[in-house]
Amino acid sequence: MGWIGATTMTTPDLSTVSAISDWYVDALAAASPNMATGLGIPGRETELTDYSPDGHAERSAIRRQAEAALRQLNIETPDQVGGRPERDRVARDVMLERFEYEAELEAQQEHLRSLNILASPLQNTRQVFDLMPRETEEDHANIVERMGAVPEALERYRSSLAAGMDAGIVVAQRQVRGGIEQCRVWSGQGPSGSPNKSGTGFFQALCDDLGIDGGANARAAAEGYAAMGDWLETEYLPRANPKDPVGRERYQAASRGFNGIELDLDETYQWGWEEVWRIQSEMAETANRISPGATAAEAIAILESDDARAIEGEDAFREWMQQTQDETMQALLGTHFDIAEPVQEIEAMIAPPGGALAMYYTGPSEDFSRPGRTWYPTGGETRFPLWRELSVCYHEGVPGHHLQIGTTRYLGEELTRYQRLLAGTSGYVEGWALYAERLMAELGYLEDPAYYMGLLSSQALRAVRVVIDIGMHLELPIPEREEYHGGETWTPELALPFLIERSFFPEKMLASEVDRYLGWPGQAISYKVGEREWLAARESARQSLGDAFNLKAFHRAALELGPMGLQQLRDEMSRPTALSPLEGGDAEGRGGVSAS
């Protein structure tokens, strides 16, 4: 299998930022086959990442070697990337910020309790198969061989969780129960041990879809997840933490990691409430536009039941998403954004069952042989009201995740390989995507009050996240002035009704959301926190440049900086060197907005 020792720690040249970046990406990809597949880096297609303590130690050693080399650099010596010391400094600072945070996580031994319902090794080991090439016989053989590696990969992952148990470092029972259910679905047992709808697990279903014989390896992969579910239920769950909140100290660190900025959590919590109340008021106004005198709930009920604004069937819905993303790409191309040719391709996909019920995006491979993809988990639904989905398409596709991540991948001349493939924080990435939703409204694409209500629902969900994510984990009181349980302390039981009442998303999806927030502290707030920073950066540039400000040039200059933490984004966008390229360019486009 080549689990341990696949990476040589000898390095020929670590004398420049780009050389360190190249070595680090290659070394980490060799030690992280799942990551390599996700980035489209060839060479580890039949292997899976080793999530054991030894595997983690190997990856940590790679990070420490790269960090030591970065700190020894004379940054005034121009690097080949961009040919300017200023670009070298930005690239170095991006890496060091992440390395420092990863070292903090290591000191806290967070890798020994890496289990949640959305983004942990439990899901990564399954989801890597979604990103594998599927066109040739060799691709099919790689898939089948990698399936054979699943049982050992899960066993190695269990060794980290077991070490965490022995040290008293465990996750909450809620996350374990969610993981058990996912194991049941992917193994073919179905939720709580009952047969799933297809009668097969994920691995056999994938083989059936591709018309290949998975044989013993597909069965072994399914049995591996069945065994993982059994172990989680019988061994881990009884020793898991019955308490969901992680507390202020762990939450502060987690929020810093997801956002790349040190937040005043109490101020952010209060700001989140102000946003909830502001959006609530705007939803009431928009409801009146949809149906005079209607409340927000009544207007949304009208939109939900309107067959003229709904699509029947998964295939038809996927086609609508694809058409919407293609049309948006063409409308924005050359107006408010420069979009490179390889980035102009995007695929809309229906997500495999079993995961969390939230749409997500996967970026293109490094060489763009695999395009960026938006993934929609249907949760078994076959009817899709569209009033909310247009804004979701903008968030996940263009001008949201796909434009930002695809552009970053394309900037080979300006950014280091680390910046293109591994850099950034959730606050930067998700903040941009939420900014993109708002931008489309500013540009006139959501003038229909039905679609604008969809945007407000999306904004409301993200504002409510700020309130309940911080509120639950820090066990804060609900403000006295709030009509919803004012003065009471947040609990998970209070969170779900509040989510439903204020965001109007489907209850099935929101139940999964509460579990997600509790298992991924600090991530849920990154959308609104990041959007706030992006809007502040744009407003600062507009105030500094006055009539010379240009929206298209702002987008180009900001994205060409590459992904980073929000504190660095704030610092970089305040530098005079960042403002100078913003003058000029063409910002004409739909809606006639050039500086909003």
Side-chain angles (χ1 to χ4, degrees):
M1 278 296 302
W3 293 95
I4 306 299
T7 307
T8 175
M9 299 307 293
T10 60
T11 54
D13 175 24
L14 296 181
S15 61
T16 65
V17 175
S18 58
I20 296 169
S21 169
D22 288 347
W23 174 80
Y24 179 76
V25 171
D26 285 338
L28 192 61
S32 310
N34 294 17
M35 185 201 81
T37 294
L39 299 178
I41 299 173
R44 293 291 190 276
E45 291 82 2
T46 63
E47 302 171 19
L48 289 166
T49 298
D50 179 3
Y51 291 113
S52 71
D54 286 342
H56 177 79
E58 181 185 11
R59 292 185 292 275
S60 295
I62 295 168
R63 183 198 74 239
R64 288 194 297 272
Q65 186 164 349
E67 180 177 359
L70 285 171
R71 295 192 184 281
Q72 292 174 5
L73 285 181
N74 176 7
I75 208 64
E76 296 304 317
T77 301
D79 196 351
Q80 59 263 42
V81 178
R84 299 204 309 270
E86 184 68 5
R87 284 201 177 274
D88 300 345
R89 181 197 57 76
V90 171
R92 179 201 61 185
D93 291 353
V94 164
M95 294 181 77
L96 287 177
E97 188 273 332
R98 284 294 89 186
F99 289 171
E100 289 168 2
Y101 175 68
E102 289 166 14
E104 181 180 356
L105 288 183
E106 183 178 4
Q108 296 172 348
Q109 296 185 289
E110 290 290 338
H111 61 286
L112 298 183
R113 57 178 158 207
S114 181
L115 174 63
N116 58 51
I117 68 160
L118 187 67
S120 69
L122 185 71
Q123 294 81 26
N124 295 342
T125 301
R126 205 289 301 154
Q127 290 175 344
V128 69
F129 291 91
D130 295 343
L131 304 178
M132 296 182 69
R134 302 181 177 187
E135 287 73 30
T136 68
E137 290 185 6
E138 182 181 2
D139 294 337
H140 294 170
N142 288 338
I143 290 171
V144 172
E145 187 172 351
R146 181 173 256 176
M147 286 180 180
V150 168
E152 186 177 357
L154 294 176
E155 183 178 349
R156 288 172 177 271
Y157 171 40
R158 281 198 297 275
S159 70
S160 283
L161 296 179
M165 282 196 298
D166 292 341
I169 302 172
V170 293
V171 298
Q173 292 175 352
R174 181 188 301 266
Q175 303 305 314
V176 185
R177 293 191 185 98
I180 292 168
E181 293 299 291
Q182 290 176 336
C183 288
R184 301 293 184 233
V185 172
W186 295 332
S187 67
Q189 296 172 298
S192 302
S194 61
N196 65 14
K197 291 183 178 180
S198 66
T200 60
F202 167 80
F203 300 97
Q204 186 58 52
L206 175 58
C207 292
D208 292 344
D209 289 344
L210 297 177
I212 59 178
D213 181 9
N217 283 5
R219 291 191 296 273
E223 291 167 1
Y225 267 101
M228 185 73 188
D230 291 342
W231 182 84
L232 288 173
E233 187 168 38
T234 60
E235 301 292 330
Y236 196 95
L237 184 60
R239 298 173 65 179
N241 191 346
K243 186 178 174 67
D244 286 303
V246 300
R248 185 176 288 267
E249 183 177 356
R250 282 188 64 203
Y251 190 92
Q252 187 79 61
S255 67
R256 182 167 60 253
F258 281 118
N259 293 286
I261 195 169
E262 194 74 42
L263 295 172
D264 180 332
L265 295 179
D266 296 301
E267 182 277 331
T268 305
Y269 178 68
Q270 181 59 40
W271 168 75
W273 274 112
E274 297 294 338
E275 283 293 282
V276 168
W277 295 326
R278 177 188 65 78
I279 295 166
Q280 184 178 329
S281 175
E282 194 168 0
M283 290 183 85
E285 296 172 3
T286 305
N288 192 58
R289 292 173 58 200
I290 294 170
S291 179
T295 65
E298 291 167 345
I300 288 172
I302 293 171
L303 299 178
E304 284 285 313
S305 62
D306 186 358
D307 289 338
R309 296 178 182 271
I311 287 180
E312 291 285 347
E314 280 190 3
D315 290 342
F317 180 61
R318 192 206 65 78
E319 290 173 5
W320 175 84
M321 286 195 298
Q322 185 68 61
Q323 181 179 351
T324 299
Q325 291 168 358
D326 290 342
E327 289 176 351
T328 306
M329 181 80 71
Q330 292 305 310
L332 296 180
L333 179 61
T335 55
H336 295 285
F337 294 95
D338 296 316
I339 307 177
E341 185 174 352
V343 183
Q344 294 173 28
E345 182 180 2
I346 183 173
E347 288 185 357
M349 310 287 286
I350 299 297
L357 298 179
M359 194 170 178
Y360 60 95
Y361 172 80
T362 57
S365 58
E366 187 175 18
D367 62 358
F368 285 91
S369 60
R370 183 193 69 227
R373 291 168 175 159
T374 58
W375 298 82
Y376 193 100
T378 65
E381 300 294 330
T382 58
R383 182 179 182 274
F384 305 94
L386 298 180
W387 65 276
R388 195 198 319 272
E389 304 303 342
L390 185 60
S391 191
V392 174
C393 281
Y394 294 151
H395 181 105
E396 303 294 341
V398 174
H401 286 321
H402 178 69
L403 176 63
Q404 181 264 307
I405 294 172
T407 298
T408 299
R409 294 276 163 89
Y410 180 75
L411 290 171
E413 295 298 319
E414 290 81 17
L415 304 178
T416 66
R417 201 169 179 217
Y418 178 90
Q419 288 174 291
R420 297 196 308 274
L421 299 180
L422 296 176
T425 60
S426 182
Y428 177 98
V429 173
E430 297 294 355
W432 170 268
L434 201 58
Y435 164 78
E437 292 185 54
R438 184 193 293 256
L439 176 68
M440 292 303 282
E442 294 172 349
L443 298 180
Y445 286 82
L446 296 170
E447 292 178 349
D448 184 325
Y451 290 134
Y452 192 71
M453 183 65 87
L455 168 70
L456 291 176
S457 178
S458 171
Q459 288 278 329
L461 174 64
R462 277 42 179 254
V464 169
R465 282 175 173 176
V466 174
V467 166
I468 65 172
D469 196 54
I470 298 176
M472 287 192 300
H473 283 291
L474 273 59
E475 299 179 276
L476 297 177
I478 299 170
E480 293 284 354
R481 62 167 282 196
E482 168 57 41
E483 61 185 24
Y484 183 85
H485 294 269
E488 296 184 31
T489 298
W490 274 114
T491 66
E493 291 70 32
L494 289 177
L496 180 56
F498 188 68
L499 269 171
I500 296 170
E501 177 185 305
R502 300 300 170 91
S503 72
F504 302 98
F505 272 73
E507 183 173 351
K508 181 191 295 186
M509 177 262 192
L510 293 178
S512 174
E513 284 284 289
V514 173
D515 291 349
R516 165 188 171 179
Y517 307 156
L518 289 167
W520 221 15
Q523 194 274 340
I525 70 173
S526 65
Y527 298 72
K528 284 294 288 182
V529 168
E531 181 198 39
R532 179 163 65 165
E533 288 297 327
W534 277 109
L535 289 170
R538 187 179 70 176
E539 181 61 23
S540 176
R542 183 166 58 182
Q543 291 295 328
S544 297
L545 295 172
D547 292 341
F549 176 82
N550 177 272
L551 184 62
K552 179 182 173 183
F554 168 78
H555 291 149
R556 182 175 62 248
L559 292 179
E560 285 182 356
L561 274 173
M564 56 185 58
L566 294 178
Q567 183 63 57
Q568 189 176 358
L569 176 68
R570 180 188 295 181
D571 294 342
E572 301 297 348
M573 291 304 294
S574 67
R575 296 177 188 274
T577 53
L579 296 179
S580 57
L582 302 191
E583 303 180 53
D586 176 22
E588 294 301 319
R590 182 175 175 178
V593 179
S594 62
S596 297

